[in-house]
Amino acid sequence: MASSSRLLFGFLLLAALACRGDVAHLDQDAKMAYGVKPAVVRISAFATAQFRYTPAVIKEIAAALKREGFSTIAQQLGDGSELAVPTGAGGSGSGFIIHPDGLVLTSGHVVEPTRNADALDRELLRNGAISALLKHFPVDDLRKLHRSEALERYIAALVDKSRLDNRVVTNEIELSNGEKLPFTIDRFSPALAQRGTDLALLRVNHKNLPALTLGDSDSTRVGESIWSVGYPAVASSTDDVIGGWLSRDSDLEATFNPGIITAIKRDVTNTPVFQSNVAIYRGNSGGPAVNRGGEVIGISTWGRTDAEAIKFLVPINVARSFLREANVPVNVEGEFDQHYRASLDAAQEGKWTLASTELASASNIFPNSPDVIRFRHDTDRALQSMPLWRKHPVASIGAGGALAAIVIGLTIPRVRRPRIPLDMLKVTTERVVSPSSAPAGAPLMLGKFTILNGTRAGERLGLGGSGIRVGRETAMCEIVLENPKVSRLHAEVVSIDGKVLLIDRNSSNGTYVNDQKIDKRFLKDGDIIYFGGRNAVAVAFHA
């Protein structure tokens, strides 16, 4: 009897192990980021030179300043016949590969500085003159001149008696794996302020590159989530403020910024333009803005430091017309893309052995990209945690038949969990959460969430404004729910026509309102929401 009991226990244990469904899956947000970032590039279009001038012209400027009431004496004149300071013009931006044979799309203003040699020299001379004045005169005096608009006279006087030496022009693309390649411009349109579409098509000599999929911007709607990807200068190791503690390897890491489409407008030529609250900083221009599926729906084009929540994007269908006129086919998959996408798809389905095989082929074609390397680490960890029967399913077929015979007659009654009564809620803490793009001042309250279970049960969250993201990722979401069944970006709360709309953002385990799985649902007072299923996080909504 004891022997048969032990045998039955052994079979039941094997059945439990065989039916485990806890193999990790790559979630949609990670898949999207991994799929996009290898194809994003940094673009450099700048020139450097030596700005040469004489001590005599500096003495003339000092004398003129004295006549205007400044008691300044020129410094660091040396004892030579000529002085020099380094100067530069142009800068860097972002772009993305649209064809595996080396075609890159970016903003026109990113590459414009080096297109016109005369304009480039004028900028080099002007910047050199400013550097020279800063070297020889106190900055406070120069600021006073700038406020009175007199500084330009002295800049022009110094430019007239100077010259450039050792002028070097750099037109270069840095791929996400660190390779640097010179580019040529196949097609160009000037910035929006010049009544262009602010686009440029670049070409580098390389094959089998990662390429992004272009979406359909005509189907994009206000309130839709987007992510801008690029290389902002403030996140570079060369930045004056934070560059000292960032490694050079960090420069290969593109930055991912979330946001939403806040308006769809038209420019003075009647061309559509997206307005967004997504972060676009110096260096981000020309980078892609992608939807949740990783498709490019816009290109970062313009932003102002004093209007952080107002940025503009060129819709990708405008770029499609630009590319069509250049006879460039879009959405062409190269060999790297085929293997890499197959690997990501397999990982999302939990098929890590297949993901590893496909990723190895992709890595051989385009090695050393940081996100490809990081995805390899994710794949290796998933394989190490997989049970043997998952790694070698063929060897488990015989055991599976025996296990099926044991469990086929078992029935497990489904117990329906009762709805949680609102009068049983006990509020322990309360705070207001607002989207990062919300303006200063009192927030527009959309309602409140009360967490019903877990260690945070009773915590009440005021919904202070439209566009509040809910999920597991701290850097991405205003409401952070630390539960493994909650996706990194799980859902979003927006306001439409005075009503509160809850939108599921293709979460892995779904969003439920009053036991019904939803894609979108207008919320009513008393609704019970489950993020990640009934056994994850339960929240009550109060209007």
Side-chain angles (χ1 to χ4, degrees):
M1 184 69 178
S3 176
S4 62
S5 297
R6 285 195 297 271
L7 181 61
L8 177 59
F9 175 77
F11 275 124
L12 292 175
L13 179 60
L14 286 172
L17 291 173
C19 293
R20 281 176 58 187
D22 59 355
V23 174
H25 294 249
L26 183 69
D27 68 42
Q28 176 62 33
D29 298 315
K31 179 187 176 185
M32 183 266 284
Y34 278 144
V36 169
K37 289 173 72 175
V40 181
V41 303
R42 178 186 282 111
I43 298 171
S44 297
F46 64 89
T48 58
Q50 288 292 310
F51 178 83
R52 298 194 177 276
Y53 56 101
T54 64
V57 68
I58 297 300
K59 292 176 182 178
E60 292 174 6
I61 292 174
L65 287 173
K66 188 174 182 179
R67 289 193 296 271
E68 291 198 31
F70 292 94
S71 58
T72 299
I73 299 175
Q75 306 167 354
Q76 303 184 51
L77 290 179
D79 54 5
S81 61
E82 192 174 51
L83 300 170
V85 292
T87 182
S92 69
S94 303
F96 56 101
I97 302 166
I98 59 158
H99 194 285
D101 288 346
L103 294 179
V104 175
L105 195 60
T106 186
S107 293
H109 73 266
V110 169
V111 298
E112 188 170 21
T114 58
R115 292 183 71 243
N116 186 312
D118 291 338
L120 184 62
D121 283 348
R122 286 194 296 271
E123 191 70 14
L124 286 169
L125 287 167
R126 186 178 189 280
N127 292 342
I130 293 171
S131 296
L133 291 173
L134 287 168
K135 177 180 178 179
H136 298 295
F137 299 102
V139 65
D140 288 341
D141 289 349
L142 297 177
R143 284 174 179 158
K144 291 177 183 177
L145 289 170
H146 178 66
R147 286 194 291 269
S148 67
E149 299 184 358
L151 182 61
E152 289 299 325
R153 294 202 316 268
Y154 294 99
I155 292 174
L158 186 50
V159 165
D160 286 342
K161 296 182 179 181
S162 64
R163 66 185 180 90
L164 295 176
D165 193 17
N166 298 327
R167 179 177 177 274
V168 177
V169 178
T170 299
N171 286 320
E172 186 177 73
I173 284 177
E174 184 175 14
L175 304 178
S176 64
N177 67 353
E179 292 183 67
K180 294 183 178 181
L181 303 166
F183 69 78
T184 56
I185 302 175
D186 277 15
R187 188 173 175 82
F188 175 85
S189 179
L192 301 180
Q194 302 171 31
R195 302 203 170 202
T197 55
D198 197 18
L199 294 169
L201 176 65
L202 314 182
R203 185 182 297 271
V204 295
N205 186 20
H206 205 302
K207 303 291 184 182
N208 268 325
L209 290 172
L212 292 187
T213 300
L214 306 190
D216 178 10
S217 55
D218 288 346
S219 64
T220 301
R221 298 291 179 262
V222 172
E224 183 172 333
S225 291
I226 60 170
W227 289 261
S228 73
V229 194
Y231 291 96
V234 292
S236 165
S237 65
T238 60
D239 178 64
D240 293 337
V241 179
I242 67 173
W245 54 265
L246 284 176
S247 72
R248 175 64 182 89
D249 291 344
S250 300
D251 291 347
L252 298 177
E253 278 279 352
T255 300
F256 233 72
N257 294 315
I260 61 171
I261 299 295
T262 56
I264 300 175
K265 299 187 175 183
R266 291 184 174 271
D267 66 13
V268 293
T269 66
N270 205 35
T271 302
V273 178
F274 287 151
Q275 182 179 317
S276 175
N277 62 359
V278 72
I280 300 175
Y281 303 107
R282 183 171 57 89
N284 268 109
S285 291
V290 300
N291 60 19
R292 187 174 177 80
E295 298 174 329
V296 182
I297 57 94
I299 302 169
S300 300
T301 183
W302 185 87
R304 289 187 63 172
T305 56
D306 57 350
E308 287 298 329
I310 300 177
K311 313 295 181 182
F312 290 95
L313 311 167
V314 175
I316 199 60
N317 283 8
V318 175
R320 279 178 175 268
S321 299
F322 178 83
L323 296 172
R324 188 163 49 247
E325 292 168 1
N327 296 317
V328 174
V330 298
N331 297 344
V332 176
E333 273 200 341
E335 190 176 354
F336 169 85
D337 292 322
Q338 293 169 4
H339 289 293
Y340 193 51
R341 294 186 200 283
S343 179
L344 292 169
D345 289 342
Q348 189 176 33
E349 297 173 7
K351 300 176 182 177
W352 292 102
T353 303
L354 176 60
S356 178
T357 301
E358 293 288 352
L359 183 58
S361 299
S363 299
N364 289 334
I365 298 169
F366 189 70
N368 302 323
S369 181
D371 287 276
V372 176
I373 293 171
R374 188 170 291 114
F375 182 39
R376 162 58 64 192
H377 293 161
D378 288 354
T379 303
D380 290 343
R381 284 194 295 269
L383 286 172
Q384 290 170 7
S385 65
M386 283 175 63
L388 288 176
W389 73 272
R390 287 272 192 181
K391 293 181 184 178
H392 309 287
V394 175
S396 305
I397 291 177
L403 293 170
I406 293 174
V407 300
I408 195 170
L410 299 179
T411 58
I412 302 175
R414 182 182 177 186
V415 179
R416 187 175 184 84
R417 184 175 302 179
R419 179 168 171 158
I420 302 172
L422 294 180
D423 58 1
M424 293 179 64
L425 304 178
K426 180 181 179 182
V427 178
T428 58
T429 60
E430 182 169 340
R431 62 186 177 91
V432 176
V433 292
S434 302
S436 58
S437 59
L444 172 65
M445 292 296 296
L446 305 183
K448 295 181 180 180
F449 279 167
T450 301
I451 299 177
L452 303 179
N453 59 356
T455 58
R456 294 169 63 186
E459 181 177 343
R460 181 169 288 183
L461 305 171
L463 306 177
S466 183
I468 294 175
R469 293 163 293 233
V470 182
R472 203 177 68 243
E473 178 58 57
T474 304
M476 190 182 297
C477 301
E478 287 76 31
I479 296 179
V480 179
L481 303 176
E482 297 176 348
N483 186 296
K485 292 187 177 181
V486 175
S487 295
R488 294 184 1 168
L489 175 59
H490 196 101
E492 189 169 4
V493 179
V494 300
S495 175
I496 296 181
D497 296 331
K499 295 185 289 185
V500 180
L501 180 66
L502 177 65
I503 305 171
D504 181 85
R505 290 303 185 189
N506 293 324
S507 62
S508 298
N509 296 305
T511 302
Y512 297 77
V513 176
N514 302 331
D515 296 327
Q516 292 185 348
K517 189 174 183 179
I518 61 103
D519 292 322
K520 297 180 181 180
R521 175 71 63 87
F522 284 106
L523 296 179
K524 297 179 293 185
D525 186 61
D527 280 344
I528 304 297
I529 306 162
Y530 299 93
F531 297 106
R534 298 285 312 241
N535 295 320
V537 180
V539 172
F541 173 71
H542 313 278

